[in-house]
Amino acid sequence: MHPEVRQDHPGNCPKCGMTLEPLLPELKEEENPELQDFQRRFWWTLPLTVVVTLLAMVGHRLQLFEMATQSWVEMVLTLPVALWAGWPFFVRGVQSVVNRSPNMWTLIGLGTGAAFAYSVVATVSPQVFPASFQAMGRVAVYFEAAVVIISLTLLGQILELKARSQTSAAIKSLLGLAPKTARRIDEHGVEIDVPLTHVHVGDLLRVRPGEKVPVDGVVVEGRSAVDEAMLTGEPVPVVKGPGDKVIGATMNTNGALVMRSERVGSSTMLAQIVQLVAQAQRSRAPMQRMADHVAGYFVLAVVGIAVLTLLVWGLFGPEPSWVYGLVNAVAVLIIACPCALGLATPMSIMVATGRGATSGVLFRDAAAIENLRKIDALIIDKTGTLTEGRPAFDRLVAAPGVQESDVLRLAASLDQGSEHPLAEAIVKEARSRGLPLSKPESFESGTGIGVRGVVEGRQLALGNTALMEQSGVEVKALLPAAEALRAEGASVMHLAADGKLMGLLAVSDPIKPSTPEALTALRESGILMVMATGDGLTTAKAVGARLGFDVVHGEVQPADKLALVQSLQDQGRVVAMAGDGINDAPALAKADVGIAMGTGTDVAMNSAQVTLVKGDLRGISTARALSEATVGNMKQNLMFAFVYNALGIPIASGLLYPFTGWLLSPMMAALAMSLSSASVITNALRLRRG
């Protein structure tokens, strides 16, 4: 909760009383001991809470006991709840006083402690109270108020701890990407698998097809296509050969590589991304700091009013003055106990998240709902966010005198022997058009440049301009068309048959059908639209211009996206980041609101505060509308809670007694507290109807 608090062992934060969390979680799954403890306390004492509450509500009607005896029964049943289940809250309340950091635990401890202590005295020594406090044969007790507050607080803590545990899921997902071992080649050429922690800078490592690259380094032997989508967002595997850099945790697809390690351990790109995500998650919103500051003064004010009530009544009130003072001080603490305040935002959030889920929008926390309505800058990744995230056939251009169907049929026939994603897109398009494909009589793959083969007795070559040069094929006739396609962000392949150019085939990452409509709605809301992608600048500008972005950034790394978020925040903007890849995770965590595509990686979703389940950007507008409604609802709830306190505390303290003769007994204080909670819950449920 407080990033500046550091210690070398587990414990509670001295400022807010919450449990401290490790800076970097471990990959192995561990049950949160505090969560287990709270669950045990909650479930074991919940039946006692229910029984005490029922006795308080209907015990006088059932007449199971004499009323004085019922007080003793309620006290005995309350003891385990107050002294065992609620013990952590009292400890935190005491710590808040010792550390001079008043917080909500101070009020919870004082409120429940006061209700319990008052009720114990009323049960054990009812004679110390004036006759006016007698009701139905006993002095009114408020054990039910104490146990209900404790049980509700335990339940809230259980839900909060479960939600907080998800914040480390992003880092655990990142840590799980790295392979556990590497295949090292020693000076004698012998290969042996070693733990990743045993790899040093300068080691030669073999990366076989289908294996992950163990660490960052450079290729010294072999050629292969490496899938870097999980880190760079590039949808198409990148061909790597001698001298090319490779990144740890990326996937080697079809060829064997020998690499030399250059960065290991905490120096790898993956480790740096882990650090960036962890650092961004530990950062704290200014609004939260302000809320803590206000809460501290609120707690002090309530305690001060209770003490003043006790002293004024004890010194100047009618006899028995100190009894009046004690009862009225207890009433102040009970009515000020932050049940309604504690429910005001969680109830709205609970209902809003449920409604959002039915609309395909998942919120991770209350801060996301609060902040989403305020965003005035939106950074969007391209691959998988604006686009589908997978190569698809775009179009083809046939040479003069050549049928388009012949170009696609021959290219697809040849590509049947290739597993490259671009080839899969071409074959899929041909089959969707119902074109008959022939089996290649021969097939040869030239890594990085294209493929050759014989189909229907014709010598075919399909690939880039380098392959055409090797094959002696003239491409000038279609050069303008090729450049135009590349300017639109497409990958262009030439098809030649028997040394003559037949046409061009373009494969691209298509823009999602819903993207233009979503961006138009967001732009009309006055939001600055920024695109940031790891793709080349030419592709980025082409897509950005087509979609009407205000600012376009290409060839950006994870750290660059994070810096872009920070830069906009430094300008005073409230920034949202939308992305789907691991490379987006640090920026998603740092942004005021991180928005992940549900069709993307788990790391992105775990780093973001909002997930669009269907990967549809139109969900952002839906989420913003829900944010507006929810924040309005929370303000109404807080108003209800404060109105009860504003009206109840003066009456409970006896401020109006000289003028009206009104006093608010602890029983009425508990009723007012219950009514304020009921009003908050009822109002929050209105969000379900929109």
Side-chain angles (χ1 to χ4, degrees):
M1 294 297 183
H2 292 264
E4 66 274 16
V5 174
R6 296 285 191 278
Q7 66 182 38
D8 59 1
H9 59 276
N12 292 334
C13 173
K15 291 191 174 184
C16 65
M18 307 302 292
T19 302
L20 295 174
E21 297 183 358
L23 295 181
L24 278 178
E26 296 182 1
L27 185 57
K28 60 181 180 181
E29 291 293 331
E30 292 183 355
E31 279 290 337
N32 185 329
E34 185 184 32
L35 175 59
Q36 289 180 320
D37 180 47
F38 279 5
Q39 287 176 326
R40 183 168 56 251
R41 293 174 190 267
F42 174 74
W43 290 112
W44 277 100
T45 58
L46 182 61
L48 298 178
T49 296
V50 172
V51 172
V52 170
T53 304
L54 289 176
L55 281 175
M57 294 174 61
V58 298
H60 61 286
R61 297 179 183 175
L62 298 177
Q63 297 181 348
L64 298 175
F65 316 99
E66 292 183 1
M67 294 309 294
T69 304
Q70 180 174 313
S71 295
W72 281 94
V73 173
E74 289 182 25
M75 185 179 75
V76 171
L77 294 176
T78 299
L79 285 173
V81 184
L83 300 184
W84 179 63
W87 183 252
F89 306 152
F90 295 125
V91 171
R92 292 178 180 183
V94 171
Q95 288 176 341
S96 70
V97 176
V98 172
N99 294 318
R100 298 180 182 179
S101 179
N103 51 50
M104 285 303 175
W105 297 114
T106 315
L107 277 187
I108 290 174
L110 283 173
T112 54
F116 177 68
Y118 161 82
S119 300
V120 168
V121 174
T123 301
V124 176
S125 302
Q127 67 276 5
V128 304
F129 293 91
S132 59
F133 288 95
Q134 293 279 341
M136 293 181 290
R138 67 171 180 175
V139 176
V141 293
Y142 308 102
F143 291 116
E144 78 282 358
V147 295
V148 167
I149 291 170
I150 290 172
S151 292
L152 283 175
T153 306
L154 277 173
L155 177 60
Q157 286 301 293
I158 290 170
L159 296 175
E160 181 178 330
L161 286 170
K162 287 184 176 181
R164 285 172 61 191
S165 67
Q166 297 175 3
T167 61
S168 63
I171 299 177
K172 289 181 178 179
S173 299
L174 286 169
L175 293 173
L177 287 175
K180 304 298 183 291
T181 62
R183 193 167 186 82
R184 186 168 61 193
I185 306 173
D186 65 16
E187 63 272 15
H188 304 294
V190 178
E191 300 182 9
I192 183 172
D193 290 330
V194 298
L196 198 63
T197 53
H198 291 187
V199 175
H200 304 287
V201 174
D203 285 350
L204 288 180
L205 308 172
R206 182 175 298 280
V207 188
R208 293 168 290 189
E211 289 184 339
K212 289 183 177 180
V213 177
V215 295
D216 297 0
V218 60
V219 177
V220 297
E221 181 184 320
R223 297 186 72 87
S224 180
V226 178
D227 185 356
E228 298 182 338
M230 68 282 295
L231 290 176
T232 66
E234 287 284 358
V236 179
V238 181
V239 175
K240 302 289 186 179
D244 292 330
K245 301 284 186 180
V246 287
I247 305 171
T250 56
M251 179 66 71
N252 182 29
T253 59
N254 53 18
L257 297 174
V258 176
M259 61 171 288
R260 178 179 291 107
S261 61
E262 293 185 333
R263 293 194 293 177
V264 300
S266 60
S267 298
T268 64
M269 179 179 289
L270 178 63
Q272 291 174 3
I273 292 177
V274 169
Q275 292 289 344
L276 289 171
V277 173
Q279 180 180 341
Q281 287 188 341
R282 291 196 300 269
S283 61
R284 200 149 167 265
M287 182 182 295
Q288 183 62 47
R289 289 195 292 269
M290 182 184 68
D292 291 343
H293 190 66
V294 171
Y297 284 111
F298 172 74
V299 172
L300 290 176
V302 171
V303 173
I305 292 171
V307 172
L308 187 62
T309 299
L310 174 64
L311 294 176
V312 170
W313 275 94
L315 295 173
F316 305 107
E319 292 296 331
S321 61
W322 288 102
V323 173
Y324 275 113
L326 174 64
V327 172
N328 290 334
V330 169
V332 169
L333 288 171
I334 289 177
I335 200 169
C337 194
C339 266
L341 286 175
L343 288 171
T345 58
M347 279 304 303
S348 298
I349 297 301
M350 187 181 300
V351 178
T353 51
R355 182 181 160 201
T358 62
S359 304
V361 179
L362 302 181
F363 294 101
R364 194 179 73 180
D365 53 31
I369 299 181
E370 290 183 32
N371 291 333
L372 191 58
R373 67 190 181 95
K374 298 185 292 186
I375 63 170
D376 55 14
L378 175 61
I379 303 171
I380 305 181
D381 173 54
K382 182 182 79 71
T383 304
T385 305
L386 297 170
T387 65
E388 298 287 356
R390 57 181 181 274
F393 182 83
D394 189 340
R395 72 193 84 164
L396 65 84
V397 179
V402 179
Q403 295 290 327
E404 288 189 356
S405 58
D406 289 338
V407 176
L408 181 58
R409 181 177 60 81
L410 290 174
S413 297
L414 180 61
D415 266 341
Q416 288 180 101
S418 173
E419 296 181 354
H420 196 284
L422 298 181
E424 291 179 7
I426 292 174
V427 173
K428 182 179 179 180
E429 177 66 18
R431 286 175 175 163
S432 69
R433 296 189 185 187
L435 299 178
L437 303 184
S438 302
K439 185 177 180 180
E441 299 165 26
S442 65
F443 179 82
E444 174 189 353
S445 176
T447 304
I449 58 174
V451 295
R452 293 187 179 93
V454 177
V455 176
E456 299 175 0
R458 305 176 72 176
Q459 187 70 41
L460 300 182
L462 177 64
N464 58 21
T465 53
L467 178 62
M468 295 298 105
E469 290 175 2
Q470 287 185 11
S471 305
V473 177
E474 181 59 56
V475 299
K476 286 184 179 180
L478 297 180
L479 186 60
E483 291 299 327
L485 289 170
R486 291 192 186 97
E488 295 180 8
S491 298
V492 178
M493 289 158 285
H494 301 74
L495 176 67
D498 299 326
K500 293 184 178 180
L501 184 65
M502 292 191 67
L504 307 174
L505 298 100
V507 174
S508 62
D509 188 9
I511 294 172
K512 294 178 181 178
S514 60
T515 295
E517 177 186 344
L519 296 182
T520 299
L522 292 168
R523 200 161 40 244
E524 290 175 351
S525 300
I527 297 175
L528 176 70
M529 305 297 292
V530 181
M531 185 172 77
T533 176
D535 286 359
L537 191 56
T538 300
T539 300
K541 287 184 175 180
V543 175
R546 191 187 318 169
L547 295 175
F549 275 90
D550 299 308
V551 183
V552 175
H553 296 274
E555 301 176 0
V556 295
Q557 298 298 315
D560 299 326
K561 292 184 179 181
L562 181 63
L564 179 59
V565 172
Q566 184 66 60
S567 173
L568 289 171
Q569 289 175 332
D570 291 343
Q571 297 173 23
R573 290 187 175 275
V574 181
V575 183
M577 168 72 194
D580 76 321
I582 293 171
N583 60 314
D584 302 316
L588 288 170
K590 179 61 177 173
D592 296 288
V593 180
I595 304 171
M597 301 295 107
T599 51
T601 63
D602 290 340
V603 175
M605 287 183 279
N606 289 329
S607 299
Q609 291 83 40
V610 180
T611 298
L612 307 181
V613 177
K614 301 174 184 177
D616 188 339
L617 285 174
R618 289 176 296 186
I620 298 178
S621 296
T622 301
R624 288 192 79 218
L626 185 55
S627 171
E628 292 278 2
T630 305
V631 170
N633 190 268
M634 287 191 291
K635 289 179 178 178
Q636 294 165 2
N637 287 345
L638 288 171
M639 181 191 69
F640 287 141
F642 279 116
V643 162
Y644 277 103
N645 280 330
L647 296 178
I649 290 178
I651 299 175
S653 65
L655 189 64
L656 302 182
Y657 181 77
F659 311 104
T660 64
W662 292 351
L663 283 178
L664 188 67
S665 71
M667 180 177 65
M668 294 305 297
L671 177 61
M673 182 180 64
S674 300
L675 289 174
S676 66
S677 299
S679 65
V680 163
I681 294 171
T682 303
N683 187 56
L685 291 176
R686 293 192 307 111
L687 281 173
R688 293 188 301 183
R689 301 189 298 270

